Amino acid sequence: MNQGKRVGIVGAGNVGATVAYSLAMLGSCHEIILRDNKIEVAKGKALDMSQAASAVRSHTVVSVAEEMSDLVDCDVVVVTAGSPRLPGMSRDDLLMINANITKDVIQGIAKYSPNAVIIMVSNPLDAMTYVALKESGFDRSRVIGMAGILDSSRMAAFIQEKLGYGGGQIRASVMGGHGDDMVPLPRYSTVAGVPLSDVLSSDEIDEIVDRTRHGGAEIVGYLKTGSAYYAPAKSTAIMVEAILKDTKQIHPCAVYLDGEYGYNDVVSGVPVMLGAKGAEKIIEVTLDEKEKAMFKKSCDSVQTLIDTLNKNNFFEGK
C-alpha cells in the first residue's frame, strides 16, 4: 500500500503559509507539515487551513512539526525560512545569516526526510540553493530553487497589461539568477503561439523586460512593510504539484549547473523537466550573443555570492 504524499514547509510566514493553503485547496497531497519557530502561530494557521480544506471537501490534513524530527518522510520539502534585510545590514551580512539558517534547516531535512526533493524559496535564492545542495549531499536533481516560474509569470502579466488581450495564452520565458540580472527572453515568449515581436514594438518589449527585472521591488514599493507572496507561493505550488504528480512538464527553475550552458559549480535558472525525482532533465536552449552575455552576467552575480561564502570559510569541512 502506497503511503500518502507528504509535503513539508519550513517557514510559515506569508509565502510558506500561502504555499500550504494553495496545496490544501487543490488536495495535492495527503498531508502538509508546517515548521516554524513561532509554533503557536503555525498551529493557528494549520488549524485554519485544515478547516478550509474541509470546506472544499479536500482530503489534505495540515499539521505542525514542533521539532525538526517531526518533519519526517516527506516527498517534497519547501524552504522559505530566512531573515529579511534589516536597516544597517549589508547584503553580505544577510547572505551569511540566511546561509547559516539554511544550513541548519537542510541538515534536519537530510536527516529526517532523506528521500525528499527540496525546493528553495529563501533569498538570495540562487546562493541558498547552492548552500542547500552542498549541505544536503543530495543529487543536484533533488535541490531546486523557485524563481523562473515567478519571474516568467510576472513578465506574462506585464505583457497582458501592455496588450490588453491574450490572458491565459501568454507564454513568457525568463532564465538566469533571481535578481536584477535575470534574463528575460522575449525571443522565446509568445501570445497564443505568436512571437512577441509581432504584437509589440521593440521599445514596448524593452519596457516589459526592465519591469520584469524589478517586479519584486515594484510590489515592495507599494506594500512598504513586506514583499510579494501570492505569486511566489503559487509558483512554488506549481513546482510541488509537478513533482508529486510526476508530470514531466518543463518549467524554468534554479539548478546546479555542471557543464550545461558552459558553466560549472554555480546555480542559475534554466528550463528543466520536473518529475518525481525533481529536476530530471536540464533543457539547453540556444541563446544568441546578447542573451549569452546577459546569462554570463547573471551567473557571475551568483558566483560573487558563492565566493563570499567561500571567503568566510562557510563550507569548511565539506
Side-chain angles (χ1 to χ4, degrees):
M1 180 176 170
N2 290 332
Q3 182 186 7
K5 297 291 186 181
R6 181 179 288 168
V7 175
I9 298 177
V10 183
N14 284 342
V15 175
T18 308
V19 173
Y21 178 74
S22 182
L23 294 172
M25 292 301 95
L26 292 167
S28 304
C29 51
H30 176 68
E31 186 178 4
I32 297 168
I33 308 173
L34 299 179
R35 167 74 183 144
D36 196 279
N37 289 335
K38 297 174 182 173
I39 293 172
E40 296 298 307
V41 172
K43 283 182 175 178
K45 290 183 179 182
L47 193 57
D48 196 7
M49 277 184 247
S50 290
Q51 292 164 3
S54 293
V56 297
R57 305 291 192 266
S58 165
H59 67 281
T60 302
V61 176
V62 186
S63 61
V64 170
E66 295 197 21
E67 303 291 340
M68 205 64 191
S69 56
D70 297 329
L71 204 75
V72 67
D73 294 334
C74 293
D75 297 279
V76 180
V77 180
V78 174
V79 180
T80 70
S83 170
R85 189 174 173 188
L86 303 173
M89 189 186 288
S90 72
R91 287 186 183 275
D92 284 2
D93 290 339
L94 179 64
L95 174 69
M96 296 312 300
I97 288 168
N98 282 351
N100 280 302
I101 291 171
T102 297
K103 178 189 280 190
D104 287 344
V105 168
I106 295 301
Q107 287 173 351
I109 294 169
K111 183 175 182 180
Y112 299 111
S113 289
N115 298 312
V117 175
I118 297 172
I119 297 177
M120 292 302 301
V121 186
S122 309
N123 280 317
L125 188 280
D126 304 276
M128 291 308 100
T129 303
Y130 186 90
V131 169
L133 178 67
K134 295 297 183 182
E135 293 299 327
S136 67
F138 287 6
D139 185 86
R140 64 171 176 154
S141 62
R142 292 201 290 129
V143 182
I144 318 166
M146 188 292 298
I149 297 176
L150 169 63
D151 295 329
S152 297
S153 68
R154 284 175 170 161
M155 185 174 175
F158 296 146
I159 291 168
Q160 182 180 346
E161 185 180 314
K162 179 68 73 176
L163 283 174
Y165 60 83
Q169 297 179 301
I170 297 168
R171 299 290 179 266
S173 185
V174 178
M175 283 177 54
H178 184 54
D180 294 348
D181 292 322
M182 70 179 71
V183 186
L185 297 172
R187 207 162 54 90
Y188 286 105
S189 302
T190 60
V191 182
V194 178
L196 201 58
S197 56
D198 286 358
V199 291
L200 290 172
S201 70
S202 58
D203 285 347
E204 288 172 326
I205 292 172
D206 288 345
E207 183 186 326
I208 287 166
V209 165
D210 185 63
R211 196 176 174 196
T212 300
R213 286 200 173 108
H214 303 98
E218 183 176 348
I219 291 171
V220 170
Y222 287 123
L223 295 178
K224 305 290 192 261
T225 58
S227 55
Y229 55 94
Y230 291 120
K234 187 60 185 177
S235 300
T236 307
I238 288 169
M239 291 174 65
V240 174
E241 278 225 294
I243 293 163
L244 294 179
K245 293 181 178 178
D246 194 23
T247 64
K248 312 292 189 192
Q249 290 177 338
I250 296 172
H251 293 287
C253 302
V255 291
Y256 181 88
L257 299 180
D258 187 21
E260 294 85 6
Y261 294 92
Y263 293 89
N264 289 281
D265 198 34
V266 71
V267 167
S268 193
V270 296
V272 303
M273 182 184 80
L274 288 181
K277 296 175 184 174
E280 297 182 358
K281 181 180 178 65
I282 293 175
I283 312 298
E284 292 195 63
V285 300
T286 305
L287 302 178
D288 64 24
E289 291 307 311
K290 182 182 177 184
E291 291 160 349
K292 284 179 182 175
M294 289 193 296
F295 190 68
K296 180 182 186 303
K297 184 181 179 186
S298 184
C299 288
D300 288 348
S301 293
V302 178
Q303 187 63 56
T304 300
L305 298 177
I306 295 170
D307 290 344
T308 300
L309 291 169
N310 287 325
K311 185 181 69 181
N312 285 279
N313 303 314
F314 183 80
F315 297 109
E316 273 199 353
K318 282 289 166 191

